[in-house]
Amino acid sequence: MNKSVVYLFVSIFFLFTSCEYQIGENFVDLGKNQVDSILKGVQFYGFAYHPDEKAYIVENSGVVGCELYVPAGFEVERMIVCLGEMEWESNGTQCDFMLDVDRIPNGSYELSCEVFAKTNNGTVAGQVGAEQYVEKRSWPLKINARTESELPLQHRVNEEGLIEISWEIDESLRTRFDHYQIEFCTVGENINATYIVKRSEFDQCSYVDKHYVGEKGTYKVYAYFKSEADRPFSLGSLYLEQAEPQVRVEYMQKDRVYLSWTYPYRSAVDVVYGSKVVAEKVIDGMAKFSLAGQETGMIELCFSPIGDWGYKNVNYLFDLENYPKR
């Protein structure tokens, strides 16, 4: 064989091996995911996760949002949120949609989010769209919509100074009944909270609240049923304005003041004057303290449930100028 022909074959061999090596540097195996997860987190807005139920709970219609958190180097091309047979799609990391509970029967569902992403880290494979990833996550979700009503709850302050609310329920619901849910929601300057109490006795159509000490808020009572397909419905609501004490001020010798008050609800009171607590955990409605050389100033009465110290529900502020010496 001619030497030039041999050299030609050798040259071609080295050329192919060189090309194979260069191609191998940028080769991406699409069958293997290069990362454990393309999601740092998924956040839903518009409904809350209930640890005791181990599920998201939806009670009202409204706009719901799903937001994705992805690590650097990835770009979300598409996301699909599914609930039962319903589906919503977005081309970014945010997907907002309207959830109408009147079109969805109460019950348990799977909420899922499927994400399609690619790398944007500047690699050749990323530029040609070869590095693509798909990840799907799912969570349990319960539709627990309730039927509201305009029925009023009855209430009174009992002999112990505690509020007692009451309601009525149709006897025909006894066999389907599971429990009552009593809710109190208060929104104010110092507190914004809802607490919930459940009662399973069908005939116990009243509730005495030992925590209420006169704050502004709303009570609601619902009847829940054994079948989650049966929608809970309202047995009534009660709105209460903040209660105010009747205060009396008497001045004593040596710059001391005698303060007394009457209040409809049993409570413990801290008296604050000059930014200092001058009387603490008062339950008999009277306190004596020194004015410390000041004849005017603001006094604050902080009402709490007895035995639940530090849980200030109601603050009442007044000025000594409105109670001049006589």
Side-chain angles (χ1 to χ4, degrees):
M1 181 180 291
N2 193 307
K3 288 185 179 180
S4 60
V5 175
V6 173
Y7 289 143
L8 177 61
F9 280 127
V10 171
S11 300
I12 293 174
F13 173 77
F14 280 112
L15 177 63
F16 276 122
T17 56
S18 175
C19 290
E20 184 178 356
Y21 174 76
Q22 295 295 329
I23 292 173
E25 280 188 333
N26 293 314
F27 179 74
V28 176
D29 186 352
L30 296 182
K32 295 182 180 179
N33 199 330
Q34 305 296 308
V35 293
D36 293 332
S37 175
I38 58 173
L39 292 173
K40 294 173 65 177
V42 181
Q43 179 70 53
F44 287 98
Y45 302 94
F47 49 75
Y49 186 82
H50 290 235
D52 55 336
E53 297 279 352
K54 297 182 180 180
Y56 285 102
I57 304 295
V58 179
E59 295 181 336
N60 302 297
S61 299
V63 176
V64 174
C66 177
E67 186 172 1
L68 306 178
Y69 298 91
V70 297
F74 290 92
E75 178 183 341
V76 174
E77 293 186 303
R78 188 162 57 107
M79 62 182 294
I80 302 174
V81 179
C82 296
L83 178 61
E85 298 181 354
M86 295 177 292
E87 186 176 289
W88 301 271
E89 186 172 329
S90 172
N91 293 326
T93 58
Q94 179 82 31
C95 181
D96 298 324
F97 52 93
M98 181 67 186
L99 198 58
D100 187 354
V101 296
D102 291 330
R103 301 177 61 184
I104 310 173
N106 277 17
S108 298
Y109 298 86
E110 180 184 83
L111 172 68
S112 67
C113 178
E114 190 170 16
V115 182
F116 302 82
K118 66 179 182 179
T119 58
N120 61 359
N121 53 15
T123 64
V124 174
Q127 292 173 8
V128 300
E131 289 184 339
Q132 295 182 328
Y133 304 91
V134 179
E135 184 170 340
K136 184 176 181 179
R137 294 190 183 182
S138 60
W139 307 264
L141 180 143
K142 291 184 178 181
I143 300 294
N144 197 13
R146 306 185 296 192
T147 303
E148 301 292 338
S149 77
E150 297 182 358
L151 294 172
L153 293 173
Q154 303 300 315
H155 77 287
R156 72 184 185 102
V157 179
N158 66 17
E159 298 77 9
E160 299 179 63
L162 301 173
I163 191 169
E164 181 179 348
I165 61 174
S166 58
W167 56 89
E168 295 181 354
I169 188 170
D170 196 313
E171 176 66 26
S172 63
L173 300 175
R174 180 182 292 272
T175 57
R176 296 162 48 201
F177 173 82
D178 184 73
H179 67 272
Y180 298 115
Q181 182 160 300
I182 302 108
E183 302 176 1
F184 180 73
C185 178
T186 179
V187 178
E189 187 174 324
N190 300 313
I191 186 170
N192 183 347
T194 298
Y195 60 84
I196 296 173
V197 177
K198 296 180 180 180
R199 294 288 185 268
S200 58
E201 301 83 2
F202 181 83
D203 294 318
Q204 187 63 49
C205 296
S206 64
Y207 171 67
V208 176
D209 191 349
K210 296 181 180 180
H211 292 281
Y212 182 79
V213 290
E215 58 268 40
K216 179 171 70 173
T218 302
Y219 280 101
K220 291 184 177 182
V221 178
Y222 295 90
Y224 280 73
F225 302 97
K226 296 173 183 178
S227 171
E228 64 178 13
D230 288 342
R231 290 202 168 185
F233 67 85
S234 170
L235 297 172
S237 62
L238 171 66
Y239 173 75
L240 296 169
E241 288 284 358
Q242 179 172 313
E244 295 188 357
Q246 299 296 318
V247 177
R248 182 179 178 183
V249 177
E250 297 181 31
Y251 294 92
M252 307 168 66
Q253 295 179 350
K254 297 181 180 180
D255 288 335
R256 289 185 63 80
V257 67
Y258 173 70
L259 184 67
S260 61
W261 61 89
T262 57
Y263 197 63
Y265 303 103
R266 188 181 74 171
S267 54
V269 181
D270 288 350
V271 181
V272 180
Y273 178 70
S275 301
K276 295 182 179 180
V277 177
V278 295
E280 190 175 15
K281 302 176 184 177
V282 179
I283 61 175
D284 58 2
M286 60 184 71
K288 298 177 183 178
F289 56 93
S290 173
L291 295 177
Q294 304 180 59
E295 294 189 1
T296 60
M298 303 300 294
I299 294 180
E300 186 174 25
L301 302 179
C302 305
F303 294 84
S304 301
I306 291 179
D308 199 354
W309 311 116
Y311 181 57
K312 306 293 191 301
N313 297 58
V314 178
N315 294 347
Y316 179 74
L317 196 66
F318 65 94
D319 197 332
L320 279 177
E321 286 187 350
N322 299 324
Y323 299 87
K325 287 184 178 181
R326 297 178 181 178

